[in-house]
Amino acid sequence: MAHITTLSEFIIEREKDFPFASGDLSQLLTSIRLAAKLVNREVNKAGLVTEILGEANAHNIQGEKQQKLDVYANDRFIAAMRNQGAVCAVASEENDEHIVFDNPASLDGKYVVAMDPLDGSSNIDVNVSIGTIFSIYRRLDPEKVTLDDFLQPGNQQVAAGYVVYGSSTMLVYTTGNGVNGFTLDPSIGVFCLSHPNMQIPANGNIYSVNEGNYFEFPENVRNYIDGCKKKKMSARYIGSLVADFHRNLLKGGIYMYPGTKDKPNGKLRLLYEANPLAMVIEQAGGSATDGTTRILDLQPTELHQRCPLFIGSSAMVEEVMKG
Ligand code: AHM
Ligand code: MG
């Protein structure tokens, strides 16, 4: 039987690529792996467990209703990271401010993590794929943790990735040395390397955008969408960024969430949606822009900042920019 590489083996193997690695990043990835499995378990039985479905009677800072599973996922990821010492602070879509860990083990943590613990929240109750997105930075000052640790441009990310809870559950991540995907084998509860060295095709046949907003889009985006239709390309839009992104990464395609007249910065969040996926896509040979600037070069100014997003196969991203 061929040897299966598990995520834990892979993390240890890759640690050797960094001669001065202390193992902290490996520890951090291991805690993300654990939280992903716990969230996966809840996602998979969500239809059975009535208490976990539905709204949690709370709103996050952007006034959006929080779903119970959002809250569960947020708690699980934070708890997993708090308990192992590599992370000193976390920022989440679900928390207004960043959270500094004050337990002794975490005080010297080298990393900060920005995350969307459960992306695609409108799809939770309807059995459609959802995901987790994470972005990892080295903290700036060993003496203190500040908001500036999270406001580093995406090109400073040490690692980034996502988990997609779909027809199978996958964890995909990069540490700046290519992108690798691991599929959870539910029978043994282990993530196995299934997609080594992922590369997005330079061009594709899929465009993903909420066309309900078509008349609000900038002209170049409308022109591009018209062109997609003339070429009879496939429109595919799940409404879960992670799932749309993942499909396009495998098959070739573009995901767009442009700014509109009312919302010039679109909907998606720079720190924990655009940046991590931009790092993944670039590492897989694709590109990501806000329409004028490379996503990874944007200088964040606030935690929950939004930005337009065009991400996917490089030829397609280039074309939409030309209009
Ligand atoms: P969320 O983080 O509240 O789930 O919002 C982000 C989601 C993305 O996953 C998805 O691509 C997009 O919002 C869908 O938005 P819309 O319904 O406006 O098309
Ligand atoms: Mg989200």
Side-chain angles (χ1 to χ4, degrees):
M1 203 175 102
H3 177 70
I4 296 168
T5 303
T6 67
L7 177 55
S8 19
E9 285 170 339
F10 187 86
I11 291 171
I12 293 165
E13 194 53 41
R14 279 296 162 101
E15 199 180 303
K16 293 185 203 139
D17 294 349
F18 302 98
F20 303 107
S22 61
D24 286 14
L25 184 60
S26 303
Q27 234 182 71
L28 167 47
L29 292 167
T30 300
S31 65
I32 289 175
R33 183 194 64 183
L34 170 66
K37 284 188 205 173
L38 295 171
V39 172
N40 177 64
R41 191 182 62 191
E42 295 309 310
V43 167
N44 276 304
K45 65 181 187 192
L48 293 171
V49 186
T50 45
E51 312 88 71
I52 206 118
L53 273 176
E55 293 159 19
N57 276 333
H59 290 76
N60 65 14
I61 192 172
Q62 285 129 117
E64 295 155 343
K65 281 177 184 164
Q66 283 179 305
Q67 304 283 314
K68 282 184 183 172
L69 258 177
D70 289 11
V71 178
Y72 178 85
N74 197 37
D75 292 350
R76 285 283 71 73
F77 276 94
I78 291 176
M81 288 188 267
R82 191 194 288 275
N83 287 327
Q84 41 74 330
V87 181
C88 60
V90 168
S92 162
E93 177 176 331
E94 302 301 336
N95 296 100
D96 303 356
E97 313 278 347
H98 66 278
I99 299 166
V100 179
F101 294 155
D102 52 9
N103 51 316
S106 304
L107 288 177
D108 295 328
K110 272 195 228 159
Y111 297 102
V112 300
V113 178
M115 64 168 179
D116 181 351
L118 210 57
D119 177 64
S121 35
S122 65
N123 283 327
I124 292 173
D125 282 1
V126 292
N127 214 344
V128 174
S129 300
I130 44 183
T132 297
I133 313 174
F134 58 90
S135 162
I136 302 173
Y137 290 88
R138 211 163 270 120
R139 81 194 267 183
L140 296 169
D141 182 339
E143 300 302 319
K144 58 181 193 302
V145 189
T146 69
L147 180 60
D148 286 344
D149 290 307
F150 293 95
L151 301 183
Q152 302 182 58
N155 56 33
Q156 295 301 306
Q157 287 173 107
V158 173
Y162 61 87
V163 184
V164 56
Y165 311 97
S167 46
S168 63
T169 292
M170 276 193 75
L171 192 153
V172 176
Y173 80 101
T174 179
T175 51
N177 186 16
V179 179
N180 292 282
F182 301 81
T183 304
L184 182 64
D185 180 338
S187 63
I188 49 172
V190 172
F191 279 105
C192 303
L193 179 61
S194 51
H195 295 64
N197 195 19
M198 297 169 85
Q199 287 287 312
I200 184 168
N203 217 329
N205 196 38
I206 297 174
Y207 71 104
S208 311
V209 64
N210 186 343
E211 276 195 76
N213 299 324
Y214 176 88
F215 291 109
E216 304 295 312
F217 290 155
E219 197 184 350
N220 68 311
V221 178
R222 277 186 278 135
N223 290 342
Y224 181 75
I225 294 173
D226 295 346
C228 292
K229 291 179 179 180
K230 283 184 195 131
K231 286 188 231 156
K232 294 190 183 162
M233 286 167 55
S234 289
R236 293 283 183 275
Y237 190 71
I238 295 172
S240 289
L241 170 62
V242 171
D244 279 311
F245 175 90
H246 182 68
R247 182 205 50 243
N248 292 356
L249 170 58
L250 294 177
K251 296 193 165 185
I254 184 169
Y255 173 98
M256 302 180 273
Y257 208 110
T260 59
K261 284 174 200 142
D262 292 346
K263 295 180 181 154
N265 292 323
K267 174 181 185 189
L268 300 174
R269 275 53 59 115
L270 174 59
L271 265 61
Y272 40 81
E273 292 177 325
N275 266 338
L277 296 184
M279 181 177 184
V280 171
I281 209 74
E282 286 202 4
Q283 284 292 318
S287 41
T289 163
D290 71 349
T292 48
T293 308
R294 177 186 176 222
I295 291 289
L296 295 180
D297 289 339
L298 292 170
Q299 176 59 56
T301 52
E302 48 186 283
L303 215 49
H304 298 286
Q305 175 174 344
R306 298 174 194 265
C307 68
L309 180 63
F310 302 86
I311 190 165
S313 295
S314 49
M316 300 174 85
V317 173
E318 218 171 279
E319 201 185 327
V320 71
M321 290 312 105
K322 282 192 217 140

